[in-house]
């Protein structure tokens, strides 16, 4: 390391401590044998984790979250694959504007979409709030993530492979199935995983659009009001944290391996 | 390649499912919200005759001003105006702090890391994907009266009494939001620093610029688009944040998002809530546009290409 790098390196390490320190308190206190999240630590226990398995409210919310996240990640990815092909393979008028409009959910405060969707569902369409309404909103916020991942994958491989397929007489549909799709597969799986995590961790929209059935983050938020439930919720939070981290790392490995590759075999 | 049908037709065809979803989920609800803001709530019924009353309520003057931080608000219902100004000020401070903390990190990644860039980037992105709710709640555990900081310092013998000023104030909200956004802001800054043609930097050194001068004259201007992008990506969503003030803000740390939530879910005055939401969005849009125009964003971006 060059000597000029050292202060930056120290800064970077401190930065990471600031970033991860507070988050790691949840796992730390979740195995602490006390109902308070305080130092000094008491004994080690996995009791709070074992108790989660008997908590019916939690298990129900978990089931709901899994349903909503699976459905919304599949739908968001399914509509984003053709859209990403269109934006990377065709020169379209207004594609810049479309890209900007599609990234709006990343920028506009989610509370705006939360209340706007609440208004149209309850006041205009007279529908009930169900898991469907949460899922629909999650499709919408997942699309920008899916588009980013898929477009970078589609830009990453050699377009002449598709041209070769066409020149050899394959139609557009067969070219898509036999060339584009296999090559884009790592991006598609990575998009599915990231959309799944986006939905699984999403709170604000789910909070506004929950009826009687709700998702895990909304359940967690509701339980945070009760101080005696804290250790259980820390255990739940830690589980969500570890699960999301695993999925993100997996998605990232797939995406990185795929971005600069012309071979579908590496998936 | 043989053209079978017009390219653009196929292109828009492939785009249409995504565009339809975005339109249905984004445009129609926003239009519905605009419509609602011109109506009135009468008990459980909605009066659908057009009125500007909701917007007028936000600016209706009063002869007795309400003071907030020494600033007079001569309004009958000053809460929305005060909370909007307060939220904007807090978000501005948060944004400045985030950029100040994220820039050196991005600089380190772009210029001082050789082999392990991917690893650092993954480490920076993981917290962004993991539960936002949990990251906010972690600060409640950190800063609480019986929290990690207080109990930690007490068990080390540094404190005898817990510090009560850590949690439930605007500062706690700001620290939490800085923590929540700082890693995210590194990425756009890093991208624009990484794109800088290294020969420009060598040229500046060869022509006798000091390192500070080289940074101020070459690196900083060329990284401006990414830095400004990062600032906007932090500023805009934090103004309307709802989770953080709810969990760590206490009564003094409330923001405009809390008011919107309250009007919709507790006070059953959705039309007024819609008017507050729209006013917030329009104000943010106006501030961002004015800011980009003032600094000449188009010029900056074209220069960095």
């Amino acid at each position: 390391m060059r000597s000029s790098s050292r202060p930056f390196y120290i800064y970077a390490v401190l930065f990471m401590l600031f970033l991860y320190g507070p988050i790691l308190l949840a796992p730390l206190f979740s195995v602490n044998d006390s109902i308070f999240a305080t130092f000094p630590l008491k004994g080690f226990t996995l009791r709070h984790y074992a108790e989660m398995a008997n908590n019916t409210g939690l298990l129900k919310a978990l089931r709901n979250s899994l349903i909503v996240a699976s459905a919304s990640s599949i739908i968001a990815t399914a509509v984003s694959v053709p859209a990403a092909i269109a934006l990377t393979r065709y020169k379209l008028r207004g594609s810049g504007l479309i890209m900007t409009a599609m990234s709006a959910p990343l920028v506009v405060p989610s509370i705006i979409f939360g209340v706007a969707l609440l208004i149209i569902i309850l006041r205009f369409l007279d529908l009930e709030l169900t898991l469907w309404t949460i899922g629909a909103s999650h499709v919408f916020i997942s699309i920008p993530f899916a588009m980013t991942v898929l477009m970078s994958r589609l830009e990453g491989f050699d377009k002449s492979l598709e041209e070769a397929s066409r020149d050899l007489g394959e139609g557009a549909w067969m070219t898509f199935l036999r060339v584009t799709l296999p090559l884009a597969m790592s991006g598609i799986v990575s998009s599915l995983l990231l959309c799944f995590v986006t939905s699984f961790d999403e709170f604000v929209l789910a909070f506004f659009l929950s009826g009687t059935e709700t998702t895990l983050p909304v359940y967690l938020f509701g339980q945070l009001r009760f101080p005696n439930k804290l250790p259980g919720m820390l255990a739940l939070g830690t589980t969500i944290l570890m699960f999301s981290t695993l999925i993100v790392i997996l998605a990232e490995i797939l995406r990185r391996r795929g971005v600069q590759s012309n071979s579908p075999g590496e998936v | 390649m043989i053209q079978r049908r017009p390219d653009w037709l196929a292109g828009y065809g492939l785009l249409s499912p995504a565009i339809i979803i975005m339109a249905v989920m984004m445009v129609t609800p926003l239009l519905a919200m605009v419509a609602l803001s011109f109506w009135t709530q009468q008990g459980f019924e909605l009066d659908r005759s057009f009125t500007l009353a909701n917007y007028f309520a936000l600016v209706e003057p009063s002869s007795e001003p309400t003071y907030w931080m020494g600033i007079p608000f001569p309004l009958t219902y000053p809460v929305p105006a005060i909370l909007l100004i307060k939220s904007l000020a807090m978000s501005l401070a948060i944004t400045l702090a985030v950029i100040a903390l994220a820039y050196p990190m991005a600089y380190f990644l772009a210029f001082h890391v050789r082999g392990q860039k991917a690893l650092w980037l993954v480490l920076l992105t993981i917290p962004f994907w993991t539960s936002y709710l949990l990251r906010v709640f972690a600060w409640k555990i950190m800063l609480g009266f019986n929290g990690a900081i207080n109990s930690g310092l007490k068990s080390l013998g540094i404190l005898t009494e817990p510090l009560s000023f850590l949690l439930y104030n605007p500062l706690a909200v700001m620290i939490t939001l800085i923590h929540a956004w700082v890693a995210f802001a590194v990425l756009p800054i890093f991208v624009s620093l990484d794109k800088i043609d290294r020969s420009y930097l060598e040229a500046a050194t060869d022509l006798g610029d000091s390192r500070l001068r080289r940074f101020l004259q070459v690196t900083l201007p060329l990284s401006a688009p990414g830095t400004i992008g990062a600032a906007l990506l932090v500023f805009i969503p934090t103004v309307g944040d709802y989770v953080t003030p709810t969990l760590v803000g206490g009564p003094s740390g409330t923001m405009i998002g809390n008011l919107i939530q309250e009007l919709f879910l507790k006070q059953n005055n959705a039309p007024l809530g819609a008017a507050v939401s729209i006013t917030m969005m329009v104000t943010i849009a106006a501030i961002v546009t004015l800011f980009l125009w003032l600094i000449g964003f188009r010029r900056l971006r074209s220069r960095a290409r």
Side-chain angles (χ1 to χ4, degrees), chain A residues 2 5 11 18-20 22 25 38-39 82 86 90 93 101 111 123 136 197-198 201 207 217 230 234 237 248 252, chain B residues 7 11-12 14 25-26 41 101 111-112 114 122-123 129 131 133-134 137-138 141-142 146 148 151 179 242 257:
Chain A
R2 284 172 295 153
S5 288
Y11 180 81
F18 171 65
L19 197 59
Y20 280 90
L25 283 178
T38 51
F39 291 112
Y90 298 86
R93 209 181 271 269
I111 194 168
R123 307 276 175 143
V197 174
T198 303
D201 284 338
F207 176 71
L230 180 67
L234 290 175
V248 172
E252 198 60 19
Chain B
D7 247 8
Y12 288 121
L14 290 170
M25 298 299 293
M26 185 158 68
Q41 188 78 38
L101 290 171
F111 294 112
H112 294 279
R114 307 243 162 245
V122 173
L123 280 175
W129 291 103
S131 174
L133 188 62
L134 211 71
F137 188 67
I141 304 174
M142 274 288 262
N146 283 314
S151 63
H179 176 257
Y242 159 74

Side-chain angles (χ1 to χ4, degrees), chain B residues 46-97:
Chain B
L46 200 57
D47 179 357
R48 300 196 176 206
S49 47
F50 178 88
T51 171
L52 285 171
N54 294 313
Y55 291 97
F56 183 66
L58 302 178
V59 291
E60 190 183 348
S62 147
S63 50
E64 283 172 39
T66 310
Y67 287 90
W68 176 75
M69 304 279 288
I71 310 164
F73 285 82
L75 302 168
T76 321
Y77 178 43
V79 178
I82 292 176
L83 283 181
L84 183 58
I85 302 273
K86 182 179 166 191
S87 304
L88 290 169
M90 283 167 73
S91 289
L92 183 65
I94 290 162
T95 308
L96 293 175

Side-chain angles (χ1 to χ4, degrees), chain B residues 68-180:
Chain B
W68 176 75
M69 304 279 288
I71 310 164
F73 285 82
L75 302 168
T76 321
Y77 178 43
V79 178
I82 292 176
L83 283 181
L84 183 58
I85 302 273
K86 182 179 166 191
S87 304
L88 290 169
M90 283 167 73
S91 289
L92 183 65
I94 290 162
T95 308
L96 293 175
V98 163
I99 297 298
L101 290 171
Y103 199 96
M105 186 67 203
Y107 191 91
F108 165 75
L109 279 177
F111 294 112
H112 294 279
V113 178
R114 307 243 162 245
Q116 304 146 316
K117 261 184 203 172
L119 179 68
W120 282 99
L121 285 172
V122 173
L123 280 175
L124 281 169
T125 19
I126 288 173
F128 172 74
W129 291 103
T130 55
S131 174
Y132 180 65
L133 188 62
L134 211 71
R135 282 181 283 154
V136 175
F137 188 67
W139 281 95
K140 193 168 171 166
I141 304 174
M142 274 288 262
L143 302 173
F145 190 74
N146 283 314
I149 292 182
N150 274 329
S151 63
L153 291 176
K154 248 168 64 179
S155 64
L156 290 173
I158 297 169
L159 284 180
T160 48
E161 283 298 304
L163 307 167
S164 58
F165 59 82
L166 295 175
L167 195 62
Y168 300 130
N169 57 53
L171 190 66
V173 175
M174 283 155 68
I175 293 174
T176 306
L177 282 171
I178 290 167
H179 176 257

